[in-house]
Amino acid sequence: MSTHASNESRVISLRPQAPSPGSGGAAGAPRRPVGGPQPRAPREPLWRDLVGDVLRRERLAQERTLKDVSEAARISMPYLSEVERGRKEASSEVLAAAAQALGLGLADLLLLAGDELARHTRSRVVRSRTSPTSPTSPTSPTSQYDGFCLAA
């Protein structure tokens, strides 16, 4: 037996890995039917992505730089950039400061983000209705109520 340590490093993934072909997957896990990849359901947007998109869109519409807005809001430029890209979940104080620097109130910012979420939800409803596998039962979890989708 050797007492020398190996020079090879071991990488441990933090993300769950898909089972390798032919391995059958985890015990008790349902197997995917053969015939190609399964279509993924559209991902629900995260609130931080929606708010960040609104902040960036407003800043660009005003033709202002990230530096200008970050200074006016008294937020570091790298942090504001991360918020705009949806990488950071900003506090209400930070969001209010960024909104005010853009001439918006916090309510305006949140309403614009809410409108984006509603638009996304409506587009999901339209896609699910045009999909050949969409439920047609009026009691299905994706029944239509005033153009919005109520998902289970």
Side-chain angles (χ1 to χ4, degrees), residues 10-132:
R10 184 173 165 212
V11 177
I12 300 172
S13 174
L14 298 177
R15 294 184 181 171
Q17 294 182 334
S20 61
S23 68
R31 298 186 76 174
R32 290 187 183 169
V34 179
Q38 297 283 329
R40 289 184 139 184
R43 194 185 84 170
E44 194 75 30
L46 297 176
W47 184 249
R48 68 177 184 243
D49 290 329
L50 296 168
V51 171
D53 288 344
V54 170
L55 286 172
R56 176 165 283 174
R57 192 171 47 246
E58 283 295 317
R59 179 177 61 79
L60 293 175
Q62 294 177 19
E63 298 180 353
R64 294 177 66 188
T65 65
L66 195 59
K67 182 179 180 188
D68 174 42
V69 175
S70 70
E71 287 174 354
R74 302 186 67 142
I75 302 168
S76 77
M77 191 169 63
Y79 188 74
L80 182 58
S81 173
E82 296 263 305
V83 169
E84 282 189 356
R85 291 183 290 140
R87 302 282 174 103
K88 296 290 184 188
E89 192 84 48
S91 69
S92 58
E93 290 89 355
V94 168
L95 294 178
Q100 185 176 14
L102 292 167
L104 301 170
L106 181 59
D108 299 322
L109 174 64
L110 300 181
L111 284 171
L112 290 168
D115 290 345
E116 285 296 312
L117 180 59
R119 237 186 319 280
H120 174 81
T121 302
R122 281 191 297 270
S123 70
R124 279 184 66 193
V125 170
V126 169
R127 280 193 302 257
S128 70
R129 278 196 228 132
T130 59
S131 169

